[in-house]
Amino acid sequence: MDKKIKTTELTIFGIVQGVGFRWATIQVAKEMGISGWVQNKPDGSVKIIAQGKPIPLAQFIMTTNVKLS
C-alpha cells in the first residue's frame, strides 16, 4: 500500500461562491484526513490545495467535483 503523501491543486468553476462551498469542502476534507486550504478567486472560481494519502485524496477529488460543485 502506497503511504506517500500527495498534493494536488484544483480549480472548481460554477456556482461555488456565496453558497457554503468552501465550508463544505473543509468538512469533507477533515472527514477524509485531507489537509490544505480553499480560496475564493476573483473570477468566481474556488482554488483548492489538498494534501493526503493517494486513495483518500482521489476520493476527496471525486467528492469535491461531483457532490459539492
Side-chain angles (χ1 to χ4, degrees):
M1 183 158 85
D2 188 1
K3 296 188 181 202
K4 293 182 181 179
I5 299 298
K6 305 284 185 183
T7 302
T8 192
E9 178 179 326
L10 306 168
T11 302
I12 310 297
F13 295 92
I15 302 172
V16 291
Q17 291 190 13
V19 294
F21 181 85
R22 286 183 302 143
W23 179 85
T25 300
I26 291 166
Q27 299 310 308
V28 170
K30 286 180 182 178
E31 290 173 13
M32 295 183 161
I34 303 297
S35 60
W37 53 267
V38 185
Q39 176 186 46
N40 284 341
K41 301 302 287 180
D43 66 359
S45 66
V46 170
K47 180 177 181 178
I48 302 169
I49 300 293
Q51 186 174 62
K53 293 181 181 177
I55 292 174
L57 186 58
Q59 292 170 336
F60 172 75
I61 292 167
M62 289 176 51
T63 299
T64 301
N65 285 315
V66 174
K67 293 185 180 175
L68 300 179
S69 60

Short mmCIF file of all heavy atoms in Angstrom, two decimals:
data_model
loop_
_atom_site.label_atom_id
_atom_site.label_comp_id
_atom_site.label_asym_id
_atom_site.label_seq_id
_atom_site.Cartn_x
_atom_site.Cartn_y
_atom_site.Cartn_z
N MET A 1 0.84 -1.18 0.00
CA MET A 1 0.00 0.00 0.00
C MET A 1 0.88 1.24 0.00
O MET A 1 1.81 1.34 0.77
CB MET A 1 -0.92 -0.01 1.22
CG MET A 1 -1.86 1.15 1.24
SD MET A 1 -3.32 0.87 2.25
CE MET A 1 -2.75 1.32 3.85
N ASP A 2 0.59 2.19 -0.88
CA ASP A 2 1.36 3.41 -1.01
C ASP A 2 0.99 4.38 0.10
O ASP A 2 -0.15 4.80 0.21
CB ASP A 2 1.10 4.04 -2.38
CG ASP A 2 2.02 5.21 -2.66
OD1 ASP A 2 2.88 5.54 -1.83
OD2 ASP A 2 1.87 5.81 -3.72
N LYS A 3 1.95 4.71 0.95
CA LYS A 3 1.68 5.62 2.07
C LYS A 3 2.27 7.00 1.83
O LYS A 3 2.30 7.82 2.73
CB LYS A 3 2.23 5.02 3.35
CG LYS A 3 1.52 3.74 3.72
CD LYS A 3 1.93 3.26 5.07
CE LYS A 3 1.20 1.96 5.36
NZ LYS A 3 1.09 1.63 6.72
N LYS A 4 2.74 7.27 0.63
CA LYS A 4 3.31 8.57 0.32
C LYS A 4 2.21 9.63 0.32
O LYS A 4 1.09 9.38 -0.09
CB LYS A 4 4.00 8.56 -1.04
CG LYS A 4 5.22 7.69 -1.07
CD LYS A 4 5.88 7.75 -2.42
CE LYS A 4 7.10 6.85 -2.45
NZ LYS A 4 7.75 6.87 -3.77
N ILE A 5 2.59 10.81 0.74
CA ILE A 5 1.66 11.94 0.76
C ILE A 5 1.73 12.63 -0.60
O ILE A 5 2.80 12.89 -1.13
CB ILE A 5 2.03 12.93 1.88
CG1 ILE A 5 1.96 12.24 3.25
CG2 ILE A 5 1.14 14.16 1.84
CD1 ILE A 5 0.60 11.73 3.63
N LYS A 6 0.57 12.92 -1.15
CA LYS A 6 0.46 13.60 -2.44
C LYS A 6 -0.20 14.95 -2.23
O LYS A 6 -0.99 15.14 -1.31
CB LYS A 6 -0.41 12.78 -3.42
CG LYS A 6 0.06 11.36 -3.63
CD LYS A 6 1.26 11.32 -4.53
CE LYS A 6 1.61 9.85 -4.79
NZ LYS A 6 2.78 9.69 -5.59
N THR A 7 0.10 15.89 -3.12
CA THR A 7 -0.51 17.21 -3.10
C THR A 7 -1.10 17.49 -4.46
O THR A 7 -0.50 17.16 -5.48
CB THR A 7 0.54 18.30 -2.76
OG1 THR A 7 1.12 17.98 -1.50
CG2 THR A 7 -0.10 19.68 -2.69
N THR A 8 -2.29 18.10 -4.47
CA THR A 8 -2.92 18.46 -5.73
C THR A 8 -3.51 19.85 -5.64
O THR A 8 -3.85 20.33 -4.55
CB THR A 8 -4.00 17.43 -6.14
OG1 THR A 8 -4.39 17.67 -7.47
CG2 THR A 8 -5.20 17.50 -5.23
N GLU A 9 -3.62 20.50 -6.78
CA GLU A 9 -4.27 21.81 -6.87
C GLU A 9 -5.49 21.66 -7.77
O GLU A 9 -5.39 21.13 -8.88
CB GLU A 9 -3.30 22.83 -7.47
CG GLU A 9 -3.91 24.20 -7.64
CD GLU A 9 -2.93 25.21 -8.20
OE1 GLU A 9 -1.73 25.13 -7.89
OE2 GLU A 9 -3.37 26.08 -8.97
N LEU A 10 -6.63 22.10 -7.28
CA LEU A 10 -7.88 22.03 -8.04
C LEU A 10 -8.45 23.43 -8.20
O LEU A 10 -8.34 24.25 -7.30
CB LEU A 10 -8.91 21.18 -7.29
CG LEU A 10 -8.50 19.79 -6.86
CD1 LEU A 10 -9.52 19.22 -5.90
CD2 LEU A 10 -8.36 18.90 -8.07
N THR A 11 -9.08 23.68 -9.32
CA THR A 11 -9.86 24.89 -9.51
C THR A 11 -11.26 24.46 -9.88
O THR A 11 -11.45 23.74 -10.86
CB THR A 11 -9.26 25.79 -10.60
OG1 THR A 11 -7.90 26.13 -10.24
CG2 THR A 11 -10.06 27.07 -10.75
N ILE A 12 -12.22 24.87 -9.08
CA ILE A 12 -13.61 24.48 -9.27
C ILE A 12 -14.38 25.69 -9.80
O ILE A 12 -14.33 26.77 -9.22
CB ILE A 12 -14.24 23.99 -7.95
CG1 ILE A 12 -13.37 22.93 -7.27
CG2 ILE A 12 -15.66 23.49 -8.20
CD1 ILE A 12 -13.18 21.66 -8.06
N PHE A 13 -15.08 25.50 -10.92
CA PHE A 13 -15.88 26.55 -11.53
C PHE A 13 -17.35 26.24 -11.35
O PHE A 13 -17.74 25.10 -11.11
CB PHE A 13 -15.56 26.66 -13.03
CG PHE A 13 -14.15 27.10 -13.31
CD1 PHE A 13 -13.13 26.16 -13.47
CD2 PHE A 13 -13.83 28.44 -13.39
CE1 PHE A 13 -11.83 26.55 -13.72
CE2 PHE A 13 -12.53 28.84 -13.64
CZ PHE A 13 -11.52 27.90 -13.80
N GLY A 14 -18.18 27.22 -11.50
CA GLY A 14 -19.61 27.05 -11.37
C GLY A 14 -20.12 27.92 -10.24
O GLY A 14 -19.49 28.92 -9.88
N ILE A 15 -21.24 27.54 -9.66
CA ILE A 15 -21.79 28.31 -8.54
C ILE A 15 -21.13 27.78 -7.27
O ILE A 15 -21.61 26.84 -6.64
CB ILE A 15 -23.33 28.17 -8.49
CG1 ILE A 15 -23.92 28.66 -9.81
CG2 ILE A 15 -23.90 28.94 -7.31
CD1 ILE A 15 -25.39 28.41 -9.97
N VAL A 16 -20.00 28.39 -6.94
CA VAL A 16 -19.21 27.91 -5.80
C VAL A 16 -18.88 29.00 -4.80
O VAL A 16 -18.28 28.72 -3.77
CB VAL A 16 -17.90 27.22 -6.28
CG1 VAL A 16 -18.20 25.91 -6.98
CG2 VAL A 16 -17.08 28.13 -7.17
N GLN A 17 -19.26 30.23 -5.06
CA GLN A 17 -19.03 31.31 -4.11
C GLN A 17 -20.36 31.79 -3.55
O GLN A 17 -21.35 31.92 -4.28
CB GLN A 17 -18.28 32.47 -4.76
CG GLN A 17 -16.84 32.10 -5.08
CD GLN A 17 -16.01 33.31 -5.50
OE1 GLN A 17 -16.40 34.45 -5.32
NE2 GLN A 17 -14.84 33.03 -6.06
N GLY A 18 -20.39 32.02 -2.24
CA GLY A 18 -21.59 32.51 -1.59
C GLY A 18 -22.64 31.44 -1.31
O GLY A 18 -23.78 31.75 -0.99
N VAL A 19 -22.26 30.17 -1.44
CA VAL A 19 -23.21 29.07 -1.24
C VAL A 19 -22.70 28.04 -0.22
O VAL A 19 -23.27 26.95 -0.11
CB VAL A 19 -23.55 28.36 -2.58
CG1 VAL A 19 -24.29 29.30 -3.50
CG2 VAL A 19 -22.30 27.81 -3.25
N GLY A 20 -21.64 28.35 0.52
CA GLY A 20 -21.11 27.42 1.52
C GLY A 20 -20.17 26.36 0.95
O GLY A 20 -19.86 25.39 1.63
N PHE A 21 -19.71 26.55 -0.27
CA PHE A 21 -18.85 25.55 -0.90
C PHE A 21 -17.54 25.36 -0.14
O PHE A 21 -17.11 24.24 0.10
CB PHE A 21 -18.56 25.94 -2.36
CG PHE A 21 -17.71 24.93 -3.08
CD1 PHE A 21 -18.29 23.82 -3.68
CD2 PHE A 21 -16.34 25.08 -3.15
CE1 PHE A 21 -17.50 22.88 -4.33
CE2 PHE A 21 -15.55 24.15 -3.80
CZ PHE A 21 -16.13 23.05 -4.39
N ARG A 22 -16.90 26.48 0.24
CA ARG A 22 -15.62 26.35 0.95
C ARG A 22 -15.81 25.62 2.28
O ARG A 22 -15.04 24.73 2.63
CB ARG A 22 -14.97 27.71 1.18
CG ARG A 22 -14.37 28.30 -0.08
CD ARG A 22 -13.68 29.62 0.17
NE ARG A 22 -14.63 30.57 0.74
CZ ARG A 22 -14.34 31.47 1.68
NH1 ARG A 22 -13.13 31.56 2.17
NH2 ARG A 22 -15.25 32.28 2.12
N TRP A 23 -16.84 25.98 3.03
CA TRP A 23 -17.11 25.35 4.31
C TRP A 23 -17.34 23.85 4.12
O TRP A 23 -16.79 23.02 4.85
CB TRP A 23 -18.32 26.00 4.99
CG TRP A 23 -18.64 25.36 6.30
CD1 TRP A 23 -18.09 25.64 7.52
CD2 TRP A 23 -19.56 24.29 6.52
NE1 TRP A 23 -18.62 24.82 8.48
CE2 TRP A 23 -19.53 23.97 7.89
CE3 TRP A 23 -20.42 23.57 5.70
CZ2 TRP A 23 -20.31 22.98 8.46
CZ3 TRP A 23 -21.20 22.58 6.27
CH2 TRP A 23 -21.15 22.29 7.62
N ALA A 24 -18.19 23.50 3.15
CA ALA A 24 -18.48 22.09 2.89
C ALA A 24 -17.23 21.33 2.47
O ALA A 24 -17.01 20.18 2.89
CB ALA A 24 -19.57 21.96 1.82
N THR A 25 -16.39 21.96 1.66
CA THR A 25 -15.14 21.33 1.23
C THR A 25 -14.23 21.05 2.41
O THR A 25 -13.65 19.96 2.52
CB THR A 25 -14.42 22.24 0.21
OG1 THR A 25 -15.28 22.44 -0.91
CG2 THR A 25 -13.11 21.64 -0.25
N ILE A 26 -14.14 22.00 3.32
CA ILE A 26 -13.31 21.82 4.52
C ILE A 26 -13.84 20.67 5.37
O ILE A 26 -13.06 19.85 5.88
CB ILE A 26 -13.25 23.13 5.33
CG1 ILE A 26 -12.45 24.17 4.54
CG2 ILE A 26 -12.65 22.91 6.71
CD1 ILE A 26 -12.60 25.59 5.06
N GLN A 27 -15.16 20.56 5.52
CA GLN A 27 -15.74 19.49 6.31
C GLN A 27 -15.44 18.12 5.70
O GLN A 27 -15.07 17.18 6.40
CB GLN A 27 -17.26 19.69 6.45
CG GLN A 27 -17.65 20.98 7.14
CD GLN A 27 -16.91 21.21 8.45
OE1 GLN A 27 -16.89 20.35 9.33
NE2 GLN A 27 -16.28 22.35 8.59
N VAL A 28 -15.59 18.01 4.38
CA VAL A 28 -15.30 16.74 3.69
C VAL A 28 -13.82 16.40 3.84
O VAL A 28 -13.46 15.25 4.13
CB VAL A 28 -15.70 16.83 2.21
CG1 VAL A 28 -15.18 15.63 1.42
CG2 VAL A 28 -17.21 16.93 2.07
N ALA A 29 -12.96 17.40 3.68
CA ALA A 29 -11.51 17.16 3.81
C ALA A 29 -11.17 16.64 5.20
O ALA A 29 -10.41 15.68 5.34
CB ALA A 29 -10.75 18.44 3.51
N LYS A 30 -11.74 17.26 6.23
CA LYS A 30 -11.47 16.81 7.61
C LYS A 30 -11.90 15.36 7.80
O LYS A 30 -11.18 14.57 8.40
CB LYS A 30 -12.21 17.70 8.61
CG LYS A 30 -11.59 19.05 8.79
CD LYS A 30 -12.40 19.86 9.79
CE LYS A 30 -11.83 21.25 9.96
NZ LYS A 30 -12.63 22.07 10.90
N GLU A 31 -13.08 15.01 7.29
CA GLU A 31 -13.59 13.65 7.42
C GLU A 31 -12.68 12.62 6.74
O GLU A 31 -12.58 11.48 7.18
CB GLU A 31 -14.98 13.54 6.82
CG GLU A 31 -16.05 14.25 7.60
CD GLU A 31 -17.39 14.27 6.88
OE1 GLU A 31 -17.57 13.52 5.90
OE2 GLU A 31 -18.26 15.04 7.30
N MET A 32 -12.02 13.04 5.65
CA MET A 32 -11.17 12.13 4.87
C MET A 32 -9.70 12.19 5.25
O MET A 32 -8.88 11.51 4.64
CB MET A 32 -11.33 12.45 3.38
CG MET A 32 -12.71 12.19 2.86
SD MET A 32 -12.78 12.52 1.10
CE MET A 32 -14.25 11.63 0.66
N GLY A 33 -9.35 13.04 6.22
CA GLY A 33 -7.95 13.16 6.63
C GLY A 33 -7.10 13.94 5.64
O GLY A 33 -5.89 13.72 5.55
N ILE A 34 -7.73 14.85 4.91
CA ILE A 34 -7.03 15.67 3.92
C ILE A 34 -6.73 17.04 4.53
O ILE A 34 -7.59 17.63 5.18
CB ILE A 34 -7.90 15.85 2.65
CG1 ILE A 34 -8.29 14.50 2.05
CG2 ILE A 34 -7.23 16.76 1.63
CD1 ILE A 34 -7.13 13.67 1.57
N SER A 35 -5.53 17.53 4.30
CA SER A 35 -5.18 18.88 4.77
C SER A 35 -5.02 19.80 3.56
O SER A 35 -4.95 19.34 2.42
CB SER A 35 -3.89 18.84 5.59
OG SER A 35 -2.82 18.35 4.80
N GLY A 36 -4.96 21.09 3.82
CA GLY A 36 -4.78 22.06 2.75
C GLY A 36 -5.59 23.31 2.99
O GLY A 36 -5.88 23.65 4.14
N TRP A 37 -5.97 23.98 1.91
CA TRP A 37 -6.75 25.20 2.04
C TRP A 37 -7.65 25.41 0.83
O TRP A 37 -7.47 24.78 -0.21
CB TRP A 37 -5.87 26.41 2.30
CG TRP A 37 -4.75 26.63 1.33
CD1 TRP A 37 -3.46 26.19 1.47
CD2 TRP A 37 -4.78 27.34 0.09
NE1 TRP A 37 -2.71 26.58 0.40
CE2 TRP A 37 -3.49 27.29 -0.47
CE3 TRP A 37 -5.77 28.02 -0.61
CZ2 TRP A 37 -3.18 27.89 -1.68
CZ3 TRP A 37 -5.45 28.61 -1.82
CH2 TRP A 37 -4.16 28.54 -2.33
N VAL A 38 -8.64 26.31 1.01
CA VAL A 38 -9.63 26.61 -0.01
C VAL A 38 -9.73 28.13 -0.10
O VAL A 38 -9.80 28.80 0.93
CB VAL A 38 -11.01 26.03 0.35
CG1 VAL A 38 -12.01 26.25 -0.76
CG2 VAL A 38 -10.91 24.55 0.68
N GLN A 39 -9.74 28.66 -1.33
CA GLN A 39 -9.73 30.12 -1.50
C GLN A 39 -10.64 30.55 -2.65
O GLN A 39 -10.58 29.97 -3.73
CB GLN A 39 -8.29 30.57 -1.79
CG GLN A 39 -8.12 32.03 -2.09
CD GLN A 39 -6.69 32.35 -2.50
OE1 GLN A 39 -6.10 31.65 -3.31
NE2 GLN A 39 -6.15 33.39 -1.91
N ASN A 40 -11.47 31.57 -2.39
CA ASN A 40 -12.25 32.18 -3.47
C ASN A 40 -11.30 32.95 -4.38
O ASN A 40 -10.37 33.61 -3.90
CB ASN A 40 -13.29 33.15 -2.92
CG ASN A 40 -14.49 32.44 -2.33
OD1 ASN A 40 -14.74 31.28 -2.60
ND2 ASN A 40 -15.24 33.16 -1.51
N LYS A 41 -11.54 32.89 -5.69
CA LYS A 41 -10.73 33.60 -6.68
C LYS A 41 -11.57 34.73 -7.29
O LYS A 41 -12.80 34.63 -7.34
CB LYS A 41 -10.24 32.64 -7.77
CG LYS A 41 -9.41 31.47 -7.25
CD LYS A 41 -8.18 31.90 -6.50
CE LYS A 41 -7.14 32.46 -7.45
NZ LYS A 41 -5.93 32.91 -6.78
N PRO A 42 -10.90 35.78 -7.78
CA PRO A 42 -11.63 36.91 -8.36
C PRO A 42 -12.52 36.54 -9.55
O PRO A 42 -13.52 37.23 -9.80
CB PRO A 42 -10.51 37.86 -8.80
CG PRO A 42 -9.33 37.49 -7.99
CD PRO A 42 -9.46 36.01 -7.72
N ASP A 43 -12.21 35.47 -10.26
CA ASP A 43 -13.00 35.09 -11.44
C ASP A 43 -14.26 34.30 -11.07
O ASP A 43 -14.99 33.85 -11.95
CB ASP A 43 -12.16 34.31 -12.43
CG ASP A 43 -11.69 32.95 -11.92
OD1 ASP A 43 -12.01 32.58 -10.76
OD2 ASP A 43 -11.00 32.24 -12.67
N GLY A 44 -14.53 34.11 -9.76
CA GLY A 44 -15.71 33.39 -9.33
C GLY A 44 -15.47 31.92 -9.05
O GLY A 44 -16.37 31.22 -8.57
N SER A 45 -14.29 31.43 -9.34
CA SER A 45 -13.95 30.03 -9.06
C SER A 45 -13.43 29.89 -7.64
O SER A 45 -13.29 30.87 -6.91
CB SER A 45 -12.90 29.53 -10.06
OG SER A 45 -11.68 30.21 -9.85
N VAL A 46 -13.16 28.66 -7.25
CA VAL A 46 -12.57 28.36 -5.95
C VAL A 46 -11.32 27.51 -6.20
O VAL A 46 -11.36 26.54 -6.95
CB VAL A 46 -13.56 27.60 -5.04
CG1 VAL A 46 -12.88 27.07 -3.80
CG2 VAL A 46 -14.72 28.50 -4.65
N LYS A 47 -10.22 27.90 -5.58
CA LYS A 47 -8.97 27.16 -5.68
C LYS A 47 -8.80 26.31 -4.42
O LYS A 47 -9.03 26.78 -3.31
CB LYS A 47 -7.79 28.11 -5.81
CG LYS A 47 -6.45 27.43 -5.92
CD LYS A 47 -5.35 28.44 -6.13
CE LYS A 47 -4.00 27.79 -6.26
NZ LYS A 47 -2.95 28.81 -6.50
N ILE A 48 -8.43 25.05 -4.62
CA ILE A 48 -8.21 24.11 -3.51
C ILE A 48 -6.80 23.55 -3.63
O ILE A 48 -6.40 23.08 -4.69
CB ILE A 48 -9.21 22.94 -3.56
CG1 ILE A 48 -10.65 23.45 -3.50
CG2 ILE A 48 -8.92 21.95 -2.44
CD1 ILE A 48 -11.69 22.38 -3.80
N ILE A 49 -6.06 23.60 -2.54
CA ILE A 49 -4.79 22.87 -2.42
C ILE A 49 -5.07 21.79 -1.39
O ILE A 49 -5.47 22.08 -0.26
CB ILE A 49 -3.64 23.77 -1.95
CG1 ILE A 49 -3.39 24.91 -2.92
CG2 ILE A 49 -2.37 22.94 -1.72
CD1 ILE A 49 -2.88 24.50 -4.27
N ALA A 50 -4.93 20.54 -1.79
CA ALA A 50 -5.25 19.41 -0.92
C ALA A 50 -4.07 18.46 -0.84
O ALA A 50 -3.40 18.21 -1.84
CB ALA A 50 -6.48 18.68 -1.45
N GLN A 51 -3.85 17.92 0.36
CA GLN A 51 -2.72 17.02 0.57
C GLN A 51 -3.17 15.85 1.43
O GLN A 51 -3.87 16.03 2.43
CB GLN A 51 -1.60 17.79 1.27
CG GLN A 51 -0.33 17.01 1.43
CD GLN A 51 0.76 17.88 2.00
OE1 GLN A 51 0.64 18.37 3.12
NE2 GLN A 51 1.82 18.07 1.25
N GLY A 52 -2.76 14.65 1.02
CA GLY A 52 -3.10 13.46 1.79
C GLY A 52 -2.58 12.21 1.11
O GLY A 52 -1.89 12.27 0.09
N LYS A 53 -2.93 11.07 1.67
CA LYS A 53 -2.54 9.79 1.07
C LYS A 53 -3.30 9.62 -0.25
O LYS A 53 -4.40 10.15 -0.41
CB LYS A 53 -2.85 8.65 2.04
CG LYS A 53 -1.97 8.70 3.27
CD LYS A 53 -2.27 7.56 4.21
CE LYS A 53 -1.39 7.65 5.45
NZ LYS A 53 -1.71 6.59 6.41
N PRO A 54 -2.72 8.90 -1.20
CA PRO A 54 -3.29 8.83 -2.55
C PRO A 54 -4.76 8.41 -2.65
O PRO A 54 -5.53 9.05 -3.36
CB PRO A 54 -2.39 7.81 -3.26
CG PRO A 54 -1.08 7.93 -2.57
CD PRO A 54 -1.42 8.20 -1.12
N ILE A 55 -5.15 7.36 -1.93
CA ILE A 55 -6.54 6.89 -2.07
C ILE A 55 -7.53 7.90 -1.47
O ILE A 55 -8.48 8.30 -2.15
CB ILE A 55 -6.71 5.47 -1.50
CG1 ILE A 55 -5.95 4.49 -2.40
CG2 ILE A 55 -8.19 5.10 -1.40
CD1 ILE A 55 -5.90 3.07 -1.88
N PRO A 56 -7.33 8.37 -0.23
CA PRO A 56 -8.26 9.37 0.29
C PRO A 56 -8.24 10.66 -0.54
O PRO A 56 -9.28 11.30 -0.73
CB PRO A 56 -7.76 9.64 1.71
CG PRO A 56 -7.02 8.42 2.09
CD PRO A 56 -6.40 7.91 0.81
N LEU A 57 -7.09 11.03 -1.07
CA LEU A 57 -7.00 12.24 -1.89
C LEU A 57 -7.82 12.06 -3.17
O LEU A 57 -8.57 12.97 -3.56
CB LEU A 57 -5.54 12.56 -2.21
CG LEU A 57 -5.29 13.87 -2.94
CD1 LEU A 57 -5.82 15.06 -2.14
CD2 LEU A 57 -3.81 14.04 -3.21
N ALA A 58 -7.72 10.92 -3.80
CA ALA A 58 -8.52 10.65 -5.00
C ALA A 58 -10.01 10.68 -4.68
O ALA A 58 -10.81 11.22 -5.45
CB ALA A 58 -8.12 9.31 -5.61
N GLN A 59 -10.39 10.12 -3.54
CA GLN A 59 -11.80 10.14 -3.13
C GLN A 59 -12.26 11.57 -2.86
O GLN A 59 -13.37 11.94 -3.22
CB GLN A 59 -12.00 9.27 -1.90
CG GLN A 59 -11.79 7.80 -2.18
CD GLN A 59 -11.74 6.94 -0.92
OE1 GLN A 59 -11.43 7.42 0.17
NE2 GLN A 59 -12.05 5.67 -1.08
N PHE A 60 -11.40 12.36 -2.25
CA PHE A 60 -11.73 13.77 -1.98
C PHE A 60 -11.95 14.52 -3.29
O PHE A 60 -12.92 15.27 -3.42
CB PHE A 60 -10.60 14.43 -1.18
CG PHE A 60 -10.76 15.91 -1.03
CD1 PHE A 60 -11.68 16.44 -0.15
CD2 PHE A 60 -9.98 16.78 -1.79
CE1 PHE A 60 -11.84 17.81 -0.02
CE2 PHE A 60 -10.13 18.15 -1.66
CZ PHE A 60 -11.06 18.66 -0.77
N ILE A 61 -11.07 14.31 -4.25
CA ILE A 61 -11.21 14.98 -5.56
C ILE A 61 -12.53 14.60 -6.20
O ILE A 61 -13.26 15.48 -6.69
CB ILE A 61 -10.01 14.63 -6.47
CG1 ILE A 61 -8.73 15.25 -5.91
CG2 ILE A 61 -10.27 15.09 -7.90
CD1 ILE A 61 -7.46 14.72 -6.54
N MET A 62 -12.87 13.33 -6.20
CA MET A 62 -14.13 12.90 -6.80
C MET A 62 -15.33 13.50 -6.06
O MET A 62 -16.28 13.97 -6.68
CB MET A 62 -14.22 11.37 -6.80
CG MET A 62 -13.27 10.72 -7.79
SD MET A 62 -13.29 8.92 -7.73
CE MET A 62 -15.02 8.56 -7.86
N THR A 63 -15.28 13.50 -4.74
CA THR A 63 -16.38 14.05 -3.95
C THR A 63 -16.54 15.55 -4.21
O THR A 63 -17.65 16.05 -4.38
CB THR A 63 -16.13 13.80 -2.45
OG1 THR A 63 -16.06 12.40 -2.24
CG2 THR A 63 -17.24 14.39 -1.61
N THR A 64 -15.43 16.25 -4.24
CA THR A 64 -15.47 17.69 -4.45
C THR A 64 -16.04 18.03 -5.82
O THR A 64 -16.90 18.90 -5.93
CB THR A 64 -14.05 18.29 -4.32
OG1 THR A 64 -13.56 17.99 -3.02
CG2 THR A 64 -14.07 19.79 -4.49
N ASN A 65 -15.62 17.33 -6.83
CA ASN A 65 -16.07 17.64 -8.19
C ASN A 65 -17.49 17.17 -8.46
O ASN A 65 -18.19 17.77 -9.26
CB ASN A 65 -15.13 17.02 -9.22
CG ASN A 65 -13.84 17.78 -9.32
OD1 ASN A 65 -13.84 18.99 -9.37
ND2 ASN A 65 -12.74 17.07 -9.34
N VAL A 66 -17.93 16.14 -7.78
CA VAL A 66 -19.25 15.58 -8.08
C VAL A 66 -20.32 16.09 -7.12
O VAL A 66 -21.34 16.60 -7.53
CB VAL A 66 -19.21 14.02 -8.03
CG1 VAL A 66 -20.60 13.44 -8.21
CG2 VAL A 66 -18.28 13.50 -9.11
N LYS A 67 -20.07 16.00 -5.82
CA LYS A 67 -21.12 16.29 -4.85
C LYS A 67 -21.19 17.77 -4.45
O LYS A 67 -22.25 18.24 -4.10
CB LYS A 67 -20.92 15.45 -3.59
CG LYS A 67 -21.13 13.96 -3.85
CD LYS A 67 -21.05 13.19 -2.57
CE LYS A 67 -21.25 11.71 -2.83
NZ LYS A 67 -21.07 10.91 -1.64
N LEU A 68 -20.07 18.45 -4.44
CA LEU A 68 -20.07 19.81 -3.91
C LEU A 68 -20.24 20.88 -4.97
O LEU A 68 -20.62 21.98 -4.67
CB LEU A 68 -18.78 20.07 -3.11
CG LEU A 68 -18.55 19.15 -1.93
CD1 LEU A 68 -17.23 19.48 -1.26
CD2 LEU A 68 -19.68 19.26 -0.93
N SER A 69 -19.89 20.56 -6.20
CA SER A 69 -19.95 21.62 -7.21
C SER A 69 -21.25 21.57 -7.99
O SER A 69 -22.04 20.68 -7.85
CB SER A 69 -18.77 21.53 -8.15
OG SER A 69 -18.75 20.30 -8.83
#
